[in-house]
Amino acid sequence: MNEALEGSLYLGLPNIIGRNKKAMLGFIKNKVIARINSWDGKFLSRAGKEILLKTVIQSLPTYAMSVFLLPLGTCKEIEKLMASFWWKTNSNKGRGIIWMSWDCLAIPKDEGGMGFRHLHDFNLAMLAKQDWRLLCNPNSLVAKVYKAKYFPHTDFLSAKLGNNPSFVWRSIWGAQDVVRLGATRVIGDGTTTNILGTSWLPNVHNRCVSSTHPGLQNNTVSSLMQMDNRDWDSEVILDLFPTHEADIILGIHLTNTIRPDFCAYQLLQTEKPAVPTQNNSGFWRKFWHLKIPPKVLNLLWRAITDSLPTCVNLVTKYVPISAQCPVCRTQPETAIHALVHCSFAADCWRSFGLPINAAASSSFGGWFESLQQTGDNDQFGTKRILL
């Protein structure tokens, strides 16, 4: 019977997941390949490719990602397929030259990237939604089933993987750390929140109590409150906690309405190391709002991020050509030379009434940004010049 069901799908997902998760979930990669191949031979600008990648390709695995934690290798392979499609030109028979890593392309547009997704991070975010439902809806059928099997004596944030877990539970449990980063108990009557081992302090750096006083063991937050008043027992708190934690606890507002404790969720990704960008001072936000054609914006973005196939860049990719500018043959062809300093390019800019200062900037991005400082050019000086 298992042989008959192996490879079969129900609601678009595999009926049976064996040991080789990468092979079983390979149908997602095959869908991506088929869709990208269907676009081969079509004359698409990179602006058009951006729309297709974001609206079609990135949405293909969304449903599966809300149930399964895809192998990291599968996510990387799909990202490589998207990067190859993005960089490939109509004249390339291969995958084309990858001018920028996917980590850089996945940076938000306001910070200098193209705003594509990190698929593994997006997968964890989708699964974190399921985790959130288990936390906020403990009386639902699915929450009761998982609790009975995997964490009968605790809550989801304290649950362990357990013995012989199903692939779905392993996937949901895999996003537990993401939820733990941004989940904090909001104190109501304090009867369902343990003082130790539970995230309930409104502190970005540490949401759990660090005090190890033996009087806190196996006690709930309600034991820190006054018996006949909806307020904290300041004497008990100051006696059991260090000063900085006592101040945080006493600063938590308790409402007059007695209610069970519940969870408030904020997705935090500050733990992820930042990828250095060229500019984060608001330049990119203004740039992407320029009222010029998308394909022109994309060309400018590639020039600013030094992702154009200039002779110098091609040489760094081991293409056997000369680095000299093929137009003037006096300087190496960089982006700033090809688009600004070359005699032909400079004549074009002067025809628009824009004087070129050859020593003003060493990069096209610096030169382009300097245009916003000129008073005779509106919107970075591009609306009048480029249109």
Side-chain angles (χ1 to χ4, degrees), residues 63-227:
Y63 178 49
M65 283 181 171
S66 65
V67 181
F68 301 133
L69 181 60
L70 271 60
L72 186 59
T74 300
C75 294
K76 293 296 184 183
E77 289 173 1
I78 295 176
E79 288 175 353
K80 286 181 180 178
L81 290 170
M82 291 193 289
S84 178
F85 174 72
W86 166 257
W87 292 113
K88 183 179 178 181
T89 62
N90 293 323
S91 60
N92 289 134
K93 293 183 179 180
R95 66 170 189 164
I97 297 176
I98 306 298
W99 294 104
M100 186 182 292
S101 69
W102 190 259
D103 286 340
C104 292
L105 288 175
I107 295 173
K109 279 191 168 184
D110 287 350
E111 298 175 13
M114 287 302 302
F116 293 117
R117 288 175 182 164
H118 283 292
L119 292 183
H120 181 67
D121 291 345
F122 181 70
N123 194 176
L124 289 174
M126 295 297 294
L127 291 170
K129 288 186 176 182
Q130 308 297 347
D131 298 352
W132 183 240
R133 293 188 180 99
L134 295 180
L135 279 171
C136 294
N137 301 298
N139 295 322
S140 64
L141 178 60
V142 65
K144 289 180 178 179
V145 170
Y146 279 125
K147 183 174 179 62
K149 184 172 183 180
Y150 295 110
F151 51 100
H153 305 299
T154 184
D155 61 7
F156 171 75
L157 290 181
S158 302
K160 305 298 182 182
L161 183 59
N163 298 321
N164 194 25
S166 68
F167 183 51
V168 175
W169 167 250
R170 186 185 294 272
S171 299
I172 293 175
W173 183 83
Q176 186 186 66
D177 288 342
V178 178
V179 178
R180 190 181 287 113
L181 282 174
T184 303
R185 297 284 291 185
V186 176
I187 301 303
D189 55 17
T191 57
T192 61
T193 301
N194 292 325
I195 297 175
L196 300 179
T198 305
S199 299
W200 62 279
L201 296 182
N203 183 6
V204 175
H205 303 291
N206 189 7
R207 292 185 172 90
C208 294
V209 169
S210 61
S211 175
T212 57
H213 195 287
L216 301 177
Q217 296 290 336
N218 302 320
N219 281 321
T220 63
V221 176
S222 60
S223 63
L224 303 177
M225 301 177 185
Q226 298 178 11
M227 295 292 294

Side-chain angles (χ1 to χ4, degrees), residues 95-383:
R95 66 170 189 164
I97 297 176
I98 306 298
W99 294 104
M100 186 182 292
S101 69
W102 190 259
D103 286 340
C104 292
L105 288 175
I107 295 173
K109 279 191 168 184
D110 287 350
E111 298 175 13
M114 287 302 302
F116 293 117
R117 288 175 182 164
H118 283 292
L119 292 183
H120 181 67
D121 291 345
F122 181 70
N123 194 176
L124 289 174
M126 295 297 294
L127 291 170
K129 288 186 176 182
Q130 308 297 347
D131 298 352
W132 183 240
R133 293 188 180 99
L134 295 180
L135 279 171
C136 294
N137 301 298
N139 295 322
S140 64
L141 178 60
V142 65
K144 289 180 178 179
V145 170
Y146 279 125
K147 183 174 179 62
K149 184 172 183 180
Y150 295 110
F151 51 100
H153 305 299
T154 184
D155 61 7
F156 171 75
L157 290 181
S158 302
K160 305 298 182 182
L161 183 59
N163 298 321
N164 194 25
S166 68
F167 183 51
V168 175
W169 167 250
R170 186 185 294 272
S171 299
I172 293 175
W173 183 83
Q176 186 186 66
D177 288 342
V178 178
V179 178
R180 190 181 287 113
L181 282 174
T184 303
R185 297 284 291 185
V186 176
I187 301 303
D189 55 17
T191 57
T192 61
T193 301
N194 292 325
I195 297 175
L196 300 179
T198 305
S199 299
W200 62 279
L201 296 182
N203 183 6
V204 175
H205 303 291
N206 189 7
R207 292 185 172 90
C208 294
V209 169
S210 61
S211 175
T212 57
H213 195 287
L216 301 177
Q217 296 290 336
N218 302 320
N219 281 321
T220 63
V221 176
S222 60
S223 63
L224 303 177
M225 301 177 185
Q226 298 178 11
M227 295 292 294
D228 54 351
N229 189 17
R230 290 287 299 158
D231 203 353
W232 297 107
D233 191 329
S234 58
E235 293 184 4
V236 172
I237 292 174
L238 291 171
D239 183 51
L240 297 177
F241 296 92
T243 303
H244 70 280
E245 281 190 349
D247 291 341
I248 293 174
I249 295 172
L250 293 174
I252 299 175
H253 176 68
L254 298 176
T255 62
N256 293 326
T257 303
I258 297 178
R259 58 180 180 178
D261 305 338
F262 62 95
C263 290
Y265 177 69
Q266 295 177 336
L267 182 61
L268 302 178
Q269 291 189 348
T270 55
E271 301 295 322
K272 193 177 182 67
V275 178
T277 56
Q278 291 184 347
N279 191 298
N280 194 25
S281 61
F283 168 81
W284 290 111
R285 187 177 297 106
K286 298 175 184 177
F287 173 83
W288 290 111
H289 284 86
L290 290 174
K291 304 300 182 181
I292 56 179
K295 64 179 181 180
V296 178
L297 267 181
N298 188 270
L299 173 64
L300 290 172
W301 174 82
R302 295 182 66 200
I304 295 170
T305 57
D306 199 22
S307 302
L308 285 176
T310 60
C311 291
V312 170
N313 283 344
L314 288 172
V315 168
T316 63
K317 296 294 184 178
Y318 305 104
V319 178
I321 62 172
S322 171
Q324 292 299 106
C325 174
V327 177
C328 67
R329 300 188 182 277
T330 60
Q331 297 290 331
E333 189 194 43
T334 60
I336 183 66
H337 175 81
L339 298 177
V340 180
H341 294 162
C342 182
S343 56
F344 177 78
D347 289 341
C348 292
W349 289 118
R350 290 190 186 98
S351 68
F352 285 101
L354 181 68
I356 301 299
N357 184 357
S361 179
S362 60
S363 69
F364 180 82
W367 175 82
F368 186 78
E369 186 175 9
S370 69
L371 293 182
Q372 65 180 312
Q373 305 299 329
T374 60
D376 59 334
N377 297 305
D378 53 346
Q379 295 195 32
F380 283 140
T382 58
K383 183 176 181 182

Side-chain angles (χ1 to χ4, degrees), residues 20-36:
N20 192 342
K21 308 297 189 298
K22 189 174 180 180
M24 291 303 300
L25 296 171
F27 74 96
I28 300 174
K29 177 184 172 183
N30 294 335
K31 282 185 177 181
V32 172
I33 293 175
R35 190 58 62 92
I36 289 178

